[in-house]
Amino acid sequence: MTSTPTTTFGRYEVKRVLGHGSQGKVYLAFDPELQRQVAIKVVTSSRAEFNQTGDNGTPLEALVSSKLRHPNIVPIHDIGTSELGPHLVFGFVDGKPMATELVARHHFEMEEAVVMMAAILDAVAAAHATGVLHLDLGPRNIMLDENGKPQIMDFGLAQFVNFEREDLSLATGTLRYMAPEHFLRQDLGPFTDVFALASTFYEMLLGERAIPGENVEAIQRNIVSVAVDYQKLAKLKHGEHLVRFLKGAFVMDTEARYQDGGAMREAFNLFVTAAGLADAVRVDSPSHSTIDFLLRRMQHKQDFPAISSTLTDINKLTGDEGGGSADKLANVILRDLSLTSKLLKMANSSFYGSRATEVASVSQAVVLLGVQQIRMVASSLTLFGHLKGDSDVLKDSMSKSFLSGLIARHMAKREKMRNAEEAFIAGMCQNLGENLAIFYFDEEHEIILRQQREDGIDRDKAATDVLGVTFATLGSAVAQIWALPSSITDAIDGIADDTQLAPTNDDERLRNLSVLANELCNVFFNADPSMFTERLDALCERFRPTTDMSPIYTFKLFNAAFEKLKQFAPIFEINVGDSVFLNSVNQWLTAREREIEIEEKAAAASDTQAAAGAR
């Protein structure tokens, strides 16, 4: 606090100086017209542009102040000029800057910090949704009122003052919260505020700056290289979840960073849910925004855009209303050389019977096999061609998906369903969400497995705690993006309860058969080998309203599907011998075959004895 200035600001009666900011000096004043205290910021920048107008000619100040109506944002009431320079009139918060509170307390406890951060993120997300940026976020610009409620100051000031490229010698107050793009001369955007929020949250929890450095040059180097010490965060309670959350905000590449406050809020929701802190913070139920957040993360990893483009075009051209010619479909497939080669191998395999001449072109394959067969082959080959890596978990999961598809197809043919090829895709995609999670979110998937294994949490709850949605919800959302028909996305969604096990139409039967195929395969992951047959028989009994399967048929079904899988393993790059899952299936088939032989011999001997007795 310093002495009261002699200058008045229009109708406002100045009381005293409140402090100095990086863009000017702030005064406490009284508005006699509206009978309220206000804070007046005199902007020292020579680049203030208070006369800016929006596209419709409305003064920019009015646009900003009307948009920024949020309980956690200090509102802009007025703008003006005086002999001291241009100024803005803000609402007055009777409290102290977060920076001051951090000096006094060193850091906030986790539970308190997440409550404050949730409110801050809500405010930033609301502002970003209306196109307003802050570009100077940090503890100095977050006020804590007398109840500890955070309110962001100076939101929208960037609309008036072009200060984002200011001289570093003038930026020491906010330097440590600046993002790499400030110094790389790249475009600024909502993601720039995201980086500053991450730095702020880090400091709230540890009482230390996220970006270290003893001088301006060192700090700048550390910002550009994002030299954040995650080890300190990892030692905190819920550190594993915390590190994963903040890593998405501390990214040099702006395209890979959370794109705005809304995306960061979604990631924050996942963090507090996984950490068991959701009761302290309002977390909406899984929504489209959660899915959008996960999809944005996938877009920046590996080759998701390529696989999506290929599958979307294939499914649009092969759908009921696709109307795609063989040439158009062939052109889509030809974009992927690996897919082209494998599809021709598949077309010439014994799966489709012997041919007098070899299928030499994709167009020829489309004509000979038909669009539904091509959809089945191309979809499975595309998935297996892209979702591959060194992870044994992924290899086993993908192998299970392929076997599940083959089993669903066999059952659909037995039921004389017209969409047997669609059943293959529905069966294979039953596990799509988890396969995507293993491939794109491997760290999160490992946590999900650990929660299931060590804490006894069921699969859906563990996935929701960590990802924010179930695997089925993720898989169904991606299947819709890939333009798969609703019958398949409905099948991925699964069966709500056993009352749906008596299908009333082909789509419901398709769903039930694909779910059954997947659950039959799951037995070999989740049961003791001595319990395989019993578990399989129990599933068949449960799904009897959908299809009647005897124990002998179940064995023959698995045997036939397994032989098909081995036949195409080289094309799909499946190493049968190295798969724990496939080895479990193979061992059960071998053991079950012996049991059936013994049972049949015993039955034959019994019949012989009965016949002899009758004589």
Side-chain angles (χ1 to χ4, degrees):
M1 305 297 178
T2 59
S3 59
T4 303
T6 54
T7 305
T8 58
F9 296 95
R11 72 172 189 265
Y12 303 105
E13 302 169 0
V14 177
K15 301 299 182 182
R16 64 178 186 272
V17 176
L18 290 173
H20 299 266
S22 57
Q23 281 78 50
K25 187 177 291 186
V26 183
Y27 300 92
L28 173 65
F30 180 73
D31 182 351
E33 266 187 35
L34 299 177
Q35 292 291 299
R36 64 184 179 186
Q37 290 184 312
V38 295
I40 299 178
K41 182 164 202 170
V42 178
V43 182
T44 57
S45 171
S46 61
R47 291 172 289 178
E49 302 176 68
F50 284 11
N51 294 322
Q52 292 182 84
T53 58
D55 293 339
N56 61 358
T58 304
L60 188 57
E61 179 274 331
L63 290 173
V64 172
S65 61
S66 65
K67 287 180 177 181
L68 292 182
R69 296 197 179 278
H70 191 277
N72 299 106
I73 295 178
V74 179
I76 301 174
H77 294 320
D78 195 6
I79 62 171
T81 57
S82 71
E83 64 268 29
L84 294 181
H87 62 262
L88 298 100
V89 181
F90 293 92
F92 173 69
V93 179
D94 188 9
K96 63 182 73 173
M98 180 184 286
T100 302
E101 187 71 0
L102 279 170
V103 170
R105 295 176 51 181
H106 183 62
H107 72 278
F108 300 114
E109 295 301 321
M110 177 71 76
E111 289 73 11
E112 184 181 10
V114 296
V115 171
M116 283 193 278
M117 195 62 188
I120 292 166
L121 283 169
D122 282 343
V124 174
H128 286 175
T130 62
V132 178
L133 309 180
H134 193 291
L135 299 182
D136 194 24
L137 282 167
R140 289 166 58 104
N141 278 327
I142 298 173
M143 292 291 294
L144 300 179
D145 67 17
E146 55 190 4
N147 297 315
K149 174 183 172 182
Q151 296 192 51
I152 304 174
M153 298 188 298
D154 287 354
F155 224 129
L157 188 59
Q159 313 298 115
F160 303 102
V161 184
N162 182 22
F163 62 83
E164 61 271 27
R165 303 294 189 195
E166 66 185 350
D167 190 303
L168 288 184
S169 64
L170 302 175
T172 53
T174 56
L175 174 60
R176 292 180 192 270
Y177 309 95
M178 296 172 78
E181 54 268 25
H182 279 282
F183 309 105
L184 297 174
R185 297 291 162 178
Q186 297 171 348
D187 290 341
L188 307 183
F191 42 78
T192 306
D193 285 341
V194 164
F195 193 96
L197 285 172
S199 297
T200 300
F201 194 38
Y202 185 104
E203 188 171 343
M204 289 167 66
L205 293 168
L206 289 172
E208 300 178 18
R209 304 289 175 81
I211 303 297
E214 298 299 324
N215 53 54
V216 170
E217 290 74 17
I219 295 171
Q220 180 181 346
R221 284 196 305 272
N222 288 331
I223 289 173
V224 172
S225 63
V226 194
V228 177
D229 186 349
Y230 292 109
Q231 292 302 314
K232 293 180 178 179
L233 286 174
K235 292 177 182 177
L236 295 176
K237 187 179 180 182
H238 315 301
E240 179 183 32
H241 305 295
L242 179 63
V243 169
R244 191 169 67 254
F245 162 60
L246 284 179
K247 275 187 174 180
F250 282 129
V251 182
M252 181 175 66
D253 182 358
T254 58
E255 291 188 358
R257 197 182 306 160
Y258 304 134
Q259 287 299 285
D260 55 27
M264 191 175 184
R265 179 57 156 112
E266 288 295 333
F268 181 79
N269 287 351
L270 299 184
F271 153 62
V272 295
T273 300
L277 298 168
D279 289 343
V281 180
R282 179 186 59 79
V283 177
D284 294 333
S285 59
S287 62
H288 289 300
S289 55
T290 302
I291 288 293
D292 289 344
F293 163 68
L294 293 174
L295 291 174
R296 281 196 297 270
R297 285 184 62 188
M298 291 163 67
Q299 289 284 355
H300 294 297
K301 290 187 178 182
Q302 307 291 339
D303 45 9
F304 185 76
I307 183 177
S308 294
S309 175
T310 299
L311 288 172
T312 300
D313 290 345
I314 288 172
N315 285 309
K316 284 181 177 178
L317 288 171
T318 57
D320 291 338
E321 300 177 1
S325 67
D327 287 341
K328 286 182 179 179
L329 184 55
N331 286 336
V332 171
I333 294 169
L334 287 167
R335 294 193 314 228
D336 188 327
L337 295 178
S338 177
L339 172 60
T340 300
S341 173
K342 291 175 181 177
L343 185 141
L344 289 176
K345 288 181 183 177
M346 191 85 167
N348 287 299
S349 71
S350 58
F351 188 85
Y352 295 107
S354 58
R355 300 185 186 281
T357 58
E358 184 178 283
V359 178
S361 69
V362 174
S363 294
Q364 186 182 5
V366 173
V367 172
L368 290 173
L369 302 183
V371 293
Q372 292 306 317
Q373 293 272 15
I374 288 296
R375 170 189 275 178
M376 180 190 82
V377 175
S379 297
S380 55
L381 286 172
T382 300
L383 281 173
F384 274 81
H386 290 272
L387 299 186
K388 61 183 180 181
D390 297 329
S391 167
D392 291 336
V393 174
L394 179 62
K395 291 174 184 176
D396 265 4
S397 188
M398 292 296 290
S399 297
K400 186 193 82 169
S401 293
F402 190 53
L403 186 63
S404 175
L406 291 171
I407 289 173
R409 181 176 182 269
H410 274 289
M411 290 193 293
K413 281 184 171 291
R414 178 183 182 238
E415 298 287 333
K416 295 182 171 54
M417 293 175 62
R418 58 176 178 77
N419 52 353
E421 309 308 330
E422 200 165 282
F424 172 84
I425 299 176
M428 185 179 67
C429 287
Q430 277 293 304
N431 207 38
L432 176 61
E434 184 162 13
N435 287 333
L436 292 168
I438 297 169
F439 189 65
Y440 291 104
F441 313 124
D442 55 331
E443 292 182 7
E444 287 92 333
H445 187 262
E446 178 55 38
I447 294 171
I448 292 169
L449 290 181
R450 190 161 63 246
Q451 287 190 2
Q452 291 179 264
R453 185 173 56 247
E454 298 176 4
D455 302 331
I457 298 175
D458 70 63
R459 180 174 179 266
D460 282 350
K461 185 178 187 308
T464 303
D465 285 351
V466 177
L467 291 176
V469 294
T470 64
F471 290 136
T473 301
L474 176 60
S476 178
V478 172
Q480 290 180 52
I481 291 172
W482 290 347
L484 285 166
S486 60
S487 57
I488 292 179
T489 57
D490 289 345
I492 296 172
D493 285 333
I495 300 170
D497 56 63
D498 282 0
T499 61
Q500 298 181 337
L501 290 177
T504 59
N505 54 53
D506 274 357
D507 283 352
E508 289 181 2
R509 188 174 297 278
L510 172 76
R511 176 200 64 201
N512 292 4
L513 291 179
S514 62
V515 170
L516 172 58
N518 187 62
E519 292 199 21
L520 289 170
C521 289
N522 278 338
V523 165
F524 297 95
F525 274 105
N526 303 324
D528 183 275
S530 64
M531 300 292 291
F532 284 166
T533 300
E534 183 180 332
R535 295 286 181 87
L536 292 171
D537 290 347
L539 274 171
C540 292
E541 182 60 33
R542 178 187 162 212
F543 278 80
R544 189 173 296 279
T546 297
T547 184
D548 190 5
M549 291 174 56
S550 68
I552 295 296
Y553 174 74
T554 305
F555 164 75
K556 291 180 178 179
L557 174 66
F558 265 96
N559 197 49
F562 193 73
E563 288 303 313
K564 285 292 184 186
L565 183 145
K566 288 194 294 183
Q567 202 176 347
F568 301 119
I571 299 175
F572 286 88
E573 299 179 11
I574 297 173
N575 191 326
V576 177
D578 286 348
S579 170
V580 175
F581 165 70
L582 293 178
N583 278 325
S584 293
V585 176
N586 190 39
Q587 289 168 14
W588 175 77
L589 286 170
T590 303
R592 186 68 181 125
E593 185 174 24
R594 292 196 198 100
E595 291 173 1
I596 291 172
E597 287 176 359
I598 293 170
E599 290 169 2
E600 288 176 345
K601 286 178 181 178
S606 177
D607 289 344
T608 301
Q609 289 176 359
R615 288 196 297 272

